[in-house]
């Protein structure tokens, strides 16, 4: 049994076999889980907002979809991962309170998908949207993502 | 005002005072509907990191009731109540005379009661703020979510992502028949509104 590495909001971590990446209680946030199945290296970025444009200079790049994912990919490549092997699973992006217009969760999901396309990372699974919170456990051994929810129960993608 | 981090002592005192007046109003209003069975202590005001709030509230996966009220007109922003199972139990038992089992057992009437309590509390605080600043503040109908506290807090964190990740937290103890139950309220005017409020109070 590996170590559990906690990934906070606006943060990202990389784990290798046999460790597990854990991110608690995502609401509108999105967790982007990147995996290299040859290296058995897993990366998880937990973003809060879609877009870093029009922000101040000293932004936290881990906070935004359009800056965080690329940073994670580069960090994983530095550890020996190869871009064409990387796959993505994404989860979160819920709408906890009904909102007028497009919710932050929906905008986050959209921005993440757009960024994955730009970076040429294949998205192989997603569990997104709804109106419930999720906790993510991303296993570096198998690349499996366990999504836990009080409302909906657990699923593995 | 650049962020909530930059409050000075005088500004904190003024905000605390609004909290006190609001709590007094809230106690009076609640005493009415709960037949004087509840009193409220002097509120504790903290300016706190979003990440820290989660631990104050019992960890990210703790299941709570979140009630969201939006502020519009002169002041834009939101109020978010975080109510835990003890609070919900007290309200449902006192107000509805029904035993509380767990969150799944809350029915529509229970949800309405929680919204109503939140309405009364937010009205009490916002009236205090409004009369001290002479600003018009309109409150939306409350919305409710019952889920992991971390997930609920994503909402204000995303709306106010640029505000230095700090929020105003008011903690109150509701006392009923020797039991003391905590409620937490997050008040989040946007920065422009906050500056306006502090200007009006003469503590810019």
């Amino acid at each position: 049994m590996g170590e559990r590495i906690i990934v906070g909001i606006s943060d990202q971590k990389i784990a290798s076999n046999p460790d597990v990446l854990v991110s608690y209680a995502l609401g509108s946030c999105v967790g982007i889980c990147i995996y290299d199945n040859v290296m058995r290296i897993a990366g998880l970025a937990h973003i809060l907002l879609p877009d870093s444009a029009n922000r101040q200079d000293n932004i936290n790049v881990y906070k935004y979809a359009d800056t965080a994912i690329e940073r994670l990919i580069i960090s994983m490549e530095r550890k020996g991962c190869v871009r064409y092997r990387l796959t993505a699973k994404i989860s979160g992006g819920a709408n906890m309170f009904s909102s007028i217009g497009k919710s932050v969760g929906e905008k986050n999901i959209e921005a993440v998908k757009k960024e994955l396309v730009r970076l040429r990372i294949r998205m192989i699974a997603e569990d997104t949207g709804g109106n419930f919170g999720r906790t993510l456990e991303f296993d570096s051994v198998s690349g499996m993502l366990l999504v836990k929810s009080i409302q909906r129960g657990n699923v593995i993608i | 005002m650049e962020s909530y981090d930059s409050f000075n002592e005088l500004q904190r005192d003024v905000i605390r005072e609004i909290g006190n007046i609001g709590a007094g109003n809230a106690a009076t209003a609640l005493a009415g509907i709960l037949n004087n069975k509840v009193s409220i202590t002097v509120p504790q005001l903290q300016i706190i990191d979003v990440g820290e709030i989660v631990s104050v509230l019992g960890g990210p996966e703790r299941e709570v009731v979140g009630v969201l009220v939006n502020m519009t007109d002169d002041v834009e922003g939101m109020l978010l109540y975080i109510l835990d199972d003890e609070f919900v139990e007290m309200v449902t038992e006192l107000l509805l005379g029904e035993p509380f089992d767990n969150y799944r057992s809350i029915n529509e009437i229970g949800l309405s009661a929680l919204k109503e309590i939140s309405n009364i509390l937010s009205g009490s605080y916002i009236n205090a703020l409004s009369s001290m600043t002479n600003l018009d503040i309109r409150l939306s109908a409350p919305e409710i979510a019952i889920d992991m506290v971390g997930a609920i807090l994503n909402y204000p964190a995303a709306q106010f992502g640029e505000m230095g990740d700090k929020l105003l937290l008011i903690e109150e103890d509701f006392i009923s028949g020797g039991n003391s139950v905590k409620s937490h309220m997050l008040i989040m005017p946007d920065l422009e509104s906050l500056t306006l409020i502090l200007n009006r109070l003469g503590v810019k």
Side-chain angles (χ1 to χ4, degrees), chain B residues 188-204:
Chain B
M188 293 155 284
D190 65 22
L191 280 183
E192 234 169 76
S193 305
L194 187 59
T195 307
L196 177 64
I197 290 167
L198 293 172
N199 275 338
R200 287 288 178 98
L201 296 168
V203 289
K204 193 192 173 190

Side-chain angles (χ1 to χ4, degrees), chain B residues 119-137:
Chain B
N119 243 343
I120 290 166
L121 293 175
S122 24
S124 305
Y125 281 97
I126 296 310
N127 284 342
L129 180 62
S130 188
S131 59
M132 284 175 82
T133 56
N134 210 13
L135 293 168
D136 287 329
I137 307 170

Side-chain angles (χ1 to χ4, degrees), chain B residues 40-53:
Chain B
I40 306 178
T41 59
V42 174
Q44 301 292 310
L45 179 122
Q46 298 176 64
I47 292 155
I48 188 170
D49 201 86
V50 178
E52 264 177 81
I53 290 177

Side-chain angles (χ1 to χ4, degrees), chain A:
Chain A
M1 192 62 191
E3 216 179 302
R4 289 164 68 85
I5 299 170
I6 311 298
V7 186
I9 298 181
S10 306
D11 194 9
Q12 52 184 242
K13 294 274 167 59
I14 294 172
S16 47
N17 188 0
D19 297 342
V20 177
L21 292 162
V22 180
S23 213
Y24 291 116
L26 289 83
S28 57
C29 286
V30 174
I32 302 100
C33 303
I34 308 286
Y35 192 58
D36 181 325
N37 68 349
V38 173
M39 298 294 289
R40 295 198 188 278
I41 288 178
L44 200 169
H46 180 155
I47 60 105
L48 175 68
L49 291 167
D51 191 357
S52 64
N54 308 319
R55 311 283 173 180
Q56 292 142 350
D57 298 336
N58 54 344
I59 61 160
N60 174 2
V61 294
Y62 302 137
K63 192 186 266 185
Y64 306 97
D66 67 333
T67 48
I69 302 173
E70 183 163 29
R71 188 63 69 96
L72 180 64
I73 302 294
I74 291 169
S75 305
M76 290 180 73
E77 285 175 331
R78 287 204 184 114
K79 291 187 181 292
C81 296
V82 180
R83 173 102 44 144
Y84 71 81
R85 282 202 306 256
L86 297 181
T87 52
K89 295 179 178 180
I90 70 170
S91 186
N95 188 12
M96 301 302 293
F97 296 98
S98 59
S99 69
I100 302 156
K102 203 179 273 182
S103 72
V104 177
E106 287 171 282
K107 287 182 197 162
N108 278 339
I109 296 165
E110 237 172 56
V112 164
K113 288 181 177 173
K114 195 173 140 202
E115 186 64 4
L116 288 172
V117 168
R118 187 181 77 81
L119 296 167
R120 299 181 186 191
I121 306 293
R122 218 156 23 99
M123 191 182 81
I124 56 170
E126 71 175 303
D127 173 40
T128 54
N131 61 351
F132 51 87
R134 296 168 167 91
T135 284
L136 309 184
E137 296 190 7
F138 188 37
D139 185 356
S140 70
V141 179
S142 61
M144 293 306 242
L145 175 63
L146 169 62
V147 183
K148 294 173 21 178
S149 159
I150 299 174
Q151 309 274 357
R152 196 261 322 253
N154 300 347
V155 296
I156 294 174
I157 60 170

Side-chain angles (χ1 to χ4, degrees), chain B residues 135-147:
Chain B
L135 293 168
D136 287 329
I137 307 170
R138 192 160 43 158
L139 298 175
S140 71
E143 288 184 57
I144 207 159
I146 304 177
D147 210 314

